[in-house]
Amino acid sequence: QVQLVESGGGLVQAGGSLRLSCAASGRTFSRYPIGWFRQAPGKEREFVGAINFDGGSTSYADSVKGRFTISRDNVKNTVYLQMDSLKREDTAVYYCAASNVYPTVTPTGYSSWGQGTQVTVSS
């Protein structure tokens, strides 16, 4: 099991950028594909994107493709979600999670979750 902690959320104007971090504890972090999800009030948890164990492959939801970029640094045990050209509809709590299979787009495919970080995009 790996423990995950998200950070970097906040309030940003539409069109702006934020970078979220997902810091992991445990020596086996580099074995795990990592996914990002988000959940807006009253909505189901939604797949944002994922990265494979060594960062060589990424996958994105159509709604964020071309605007969001996932990367990882296995030396620092951290995965990043760079969010550019933010829209109001990107407002949500963002979660990172670890899986054993890449790519996995459903939340049930992830075994370890962070506590989430709030991202609010204002107009």
Side-chain angles (χ1 to χ4, degrees):
Q1 285 275 345
V2 60
Q3 285 74 47
L4 304 172
V5 178
E6 302 93 339
S7 62
L11 175 64
V12 63
Q13 287 191 330
S17 298
L18 275 178
R19 188 177 79 158
L20 306 185
S21 298
C22 172
S25 61
R27 296 180 180 179
T28 60
F29 170 74
S30 62
R31 298 180 185 177
Y32 293 96
I34 299 293
W36 284 95
F37 287 78
R38 65 187 182 186
Q39 189 165 19
K43 295 188 176 181
E44 292 187 352
R45 195 163 293 191
E46 172 190 26
F47 175 75
V48 173
I51 189 166
N52 75 331
F53 73 101
D54 66 358
S57 182
T58 53
S59 178
Y60 300 95
D62 287 343
S63 58
V64 306
K65 201 171 293 182
R67 299 188 298 121
F68 290 11
T69 305
I70 300 173
S71 60
R72 70 188 296 163
D73 185 335
N74 284 343
V75 174
K76 295 183 178 179
N77 276 12
T78 302
V79 172
Y80 304 98
L81 177 63
Q82 177 67 41
M83 304 186 294
D84 299 318
S85 302
L86 282 161
K87 305 175 181 180
R88 287 192 65 185
E89 51 263 43
D90 295 319
T91 295
V93 177
Y94 283 72
Y95 301 88
C96 62
S99 176
N100 290 310
V101 178
Y102 171 85
T104 301
V105 302
T106 57
T108 55
Y110 290 79
S111 55
S112 298
W113 291 83
Q115 83 290 348
T117 185
Q118 175 71 47
V119 172
T120 303
V121 183
S122 64
S123 59

